[in-house]
């Protein structure tokens, strides 16, 4: 979250130093995972790319169906101190075309413009859930080539309300 906030607030000094230290170690892979990055505008995404320097980068987006995603996003909004009710939040998302969290293609287009469309990967999260595939295991195997790792059984701590009733 600090990375996304630093980019949004244009306070890049600390983040820039941290990323330079990480990239200088020349790891085979560096994974940055933060849902808040999806809310960056075009200029902020370009700043993010600049922070990565010449390091190769791939954007992986796990997309969830709207009926599952909206209650989950609303929960996150409440966790961060907002007091909007679920019906109010749903109305905002379904009518606020320019600001809606449902505009996956607009967000992906912004990232594709900066990172290149060949570097964008989209995965249907519900496909993994339906097949009882762990998202971490999927990511590690599909995008880092690391399969057969023993991962801790973490469960799904951020389940949407609808998902809880199915389990």
């Amino acid at each position: 979250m600090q990375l996304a906030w630093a980019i949004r607030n244009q306070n890049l000094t600390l983040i820039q130093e941290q990323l330079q230290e990480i990239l200088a170690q020349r790891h085979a892979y560096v994974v940055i995972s933060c849902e808040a990055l999806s809310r960056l505008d075009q200029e902020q995404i370009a700043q993010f790319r600049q922070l990565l320097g010449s390091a190769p980068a791939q954007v992986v987006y796990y997309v969830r169906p709207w009926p599952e995603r909206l209650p989950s996003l609303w929960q996150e909004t409440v966790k961060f101190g907002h007091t909007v009710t679920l019906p109010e939040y749903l109305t905002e998302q379904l009518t606020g075309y320019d600001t809606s969290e449902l505009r996956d293609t607009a967000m992906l287009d912004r990232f594709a413009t900066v990172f290149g469309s060949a570097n964008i990967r989209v995965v249907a999260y519900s496909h993994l859930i339906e097949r009882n595939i762990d998202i971490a295991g999927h990511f590690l195997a599909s995008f880092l080539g690391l399969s057969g790792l023993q991962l801790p059984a973490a469960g799904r701590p951020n389940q949407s309300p609808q998902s809880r009733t199915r389990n």
Side-chain angles (χ1 to χ4, degrees), residues 11-71:
N11 182 13
L12 303 176
T13 307
L14 177 63
I15 297 298
Q16 190 172 24
E17 291 171 8
Q18 290 174 342
L19 279 174
Q20 286 175 353
E21 286 178 29
I22 292 168
L23 294 172
Q25 295 175 28
R26 305 235 183 258
H27 295 287
Y29 301 102
V30 174
V31 176
I32 299 172
S33 176
C34 179
E35 288 181 50
L37 292 174
S38 67
R39 294 184 181 102
L40 298 179
D41 64 28
Q42 188 76 42
E43 183 180 318
Q44 293 165 338
I45 294 169
Q47 288 174 337
F48 176 44
R49 182 64 186 116
Q50 287 175 345
L51 287 170
L52 299 175
S54 62
Q58 190 173 79
V59 176
V60 179
Y61 182 64
Y62 285 86
V63 65
R64 293 171 73 183
W66 295 353
E68 289 183 20
R69 184 167 22 149
L70 284 173

Side-chain angles (χ1 to χ4, degrees), residues 46-114:
Q47 288 174 337
F48 176 44
R49 182 64 186 116
Q50 287 175 345
L51 287 170
L52 299 175
S54 62
Q58 190 173 79
V59 176
V60 179
Y61 182 64
Y62 285 86
V63 65
R64 293 171 73 183
W66 295 353
E68 289 183 20
R69 184 167 22 149
L70 284 173
S72 177
L73 289 169
W74 170 70
Q75 287 174 344
E76 288 298 309
T77 299
V78 172
K79 283 182 190 176
F80 282 96
H82 297 275
T83 58
V84 65
T85 65
L86 179 58
E88 291 168 336
Y89 183 80
L90 293 175
T91 300
E92 288 173 12
Q93 294 304 312
L94 295 172
T95 60
Y97 181 76
D98 290 332
T99 58
S100 176
E101 297 283 353
L102 304 178
R103 296 198 59 217
D104 297 308
T105 54
M107 180 270 301
L108 289 170
D109 286 346
R110 290 192 305 270
F111 275 89
T113 298
V114 174

